[in-house]
Amino acid sequence: MKCTTANVAALTAIMAALTACSGQTPAAPEATQAGQPSTPTLAPTFTMKGAFDIPASGGENLTQGTACKGTGTYADAESGAPVRVYNANGEVIAQGALPNGTFQVTPIGSACVFSVTVYAVPDGLLQYGVQIGEHGVRPVKSDETHAWVFLHASWTIGPNQPRASLA
């Protein structure tokens, strides 16, 4: 079979359809010994899961299980806030969004806790970067991204101290 313009166009259309249906980018076809492209394969991906929490100072009058969101420097931590995953070159390689936060009281304190789920994260990197909203990118090792990522809003000093409030 000759590699004609029609064959290349058909292969390109198939790869575009696979990308649209799966949300994953197919790997570039490799040449076979006969010089023909092989069947495209999808790069392996995984789902990153974890949690992001914002400490509560105790004066918020929230009860266990109440919907909450961030305030102060974390006012953007609310339902729909972007969760971005980066590679070592600083490129966004996967994205998700925060759901509603839930106020949680534990023996060591209280916090507004958001579950974190990002689908179709490209596999195979030694380290990833994770960013919530417009805050700094936190480096996360590969084994942590495959198990459970725990992101914690650190306390700051001053009037913009992150804390939880009613959503």
Side-chain angles (χ1 to χ4, degrees):
M1 176 172 119
K2 281 189 159 183
C3 190
T4 65
T5 303
N7 289 342
V8 171
L11 181 58
T12 302
I14 290 169
M15 290 176 69
L18 286 171
T19 300
C21 292
S22 69
Q24 298 175 348
T25 304
E30 298 175 13
T32 62
Q33 284 196 2
Q36 300 298 319
S38 63
T39 304
T41 58
L42 298 178
T45 63
F46 67 98
T47 299
M48 185 186 79
K49 293 186 176 196
F52 168 64
D53 78 344
I54 301 171
S57 63
E60 292 81 22
N61 297 321
L62 298 175
T63 58
Q64 183 81 7
T66 303
C68 57
K69 62 181 183 177
T71 63
T73 57
Y74 280 91
D76 63 333
E78 61 184 349
S79 179
V83 178
R84 296 178 192 93
V85 180
Y86 293 84
N87 65 15
N89 297 327
E91 301 164 330
V92 175
I93 56 173
Q95 295 188 83
L98 290 179
N100 284 324
T102 305
F103 186 72
Q104 302 292 320
V105 179
T106 69
I108 60 170
S110 56
C112 186
V113 180
F114 298 86
S115 63
V116 173
T117 304
V118 180
Y119 299 98
V121 177
D123 204 358
L125 302 179
L126 295 176
Q127 185 164 310
Y128 297 82
V130 179
Q131 179 183 30
I132 304 290
E134 299 305 317
H135 301 278
V137 177
R138 176 181 171 223
V140 181
K141 292 180 182 175
S142 180
D143 58 346
E144 189 179 355
T145 61
H146 285 78
W148 186 262
V149 175
F150 182 72
L151 303 166
H152 181 73
S154 56
W155 288 97
T156 59
I157 298 173
N160 290 329
Q161 183 174 5
R163 60 185 176 89
S165 72
L166 293 172

